[in-house]
Amino acid sequence: MARYPLGGGVGTYLGFHLFILGLLSFVTGQPFLIPSLGPSLFLLGTLPDDEMNYPRRIIGGQFIGAVAGFVAFHLIVGGIDPAASPALSLEVFRQVVSSFVAALLSTFGMYLADVQHPPAYATTLIVSLGYLTSPRGVGVFLLAVLVMVGLHEILGKRGPIWSLPYQQDE
């Protein structure tokens, strides 16, 4: 199978996944398309055989990152809207502390479960800074992770529709 030049195979592969997640967001009005999925998806499309990108690491790492961010945000920031707070305010400082605590919790959790996944730190920041604060939103995000990994397992690995960099030419 010939490869597309300039990453066209990887680009269309990633675009397809993002389109499906975006379509789910469009139809349901729920946050299926979160920026931190992009790096995870890129790693799946370019280095899926790397142990760091095994499905259990992506799912586990993203789960821990989301939960750590959620816990830190609600314990430290709470109902405050840091975006509406002035510079040098206690509210904004609490948001900074929330991101620090979320990063610590994510690191401990990922190492403890042996599911280190660097892109999950983007999730930790997104959630701990207050961009995804409801349990439902976090649940939908985690469902999006499962959809992304499931699509990859079905289409990317087992059904060679795209010529990804790791596939051998026949």
Side-chain angles (χ1 to χ4, degrees), residues 8-17 41 44-45 151-152 155-156 162 164:
V10 173
T12 57
Y13 182 73
L14 273 61
F16 170 76
H17 282 75
L41 187 52
L44 278 176
L151 282 173
H152 173 73
L155 298 176
W162 285 271
L164 298 175

Side-chain angles (χ1 to χ4, degrees), residues 11 56 79 83 87 116 166:
R56 72 174 192 80
Q116 300 90 333
Y166 61 89

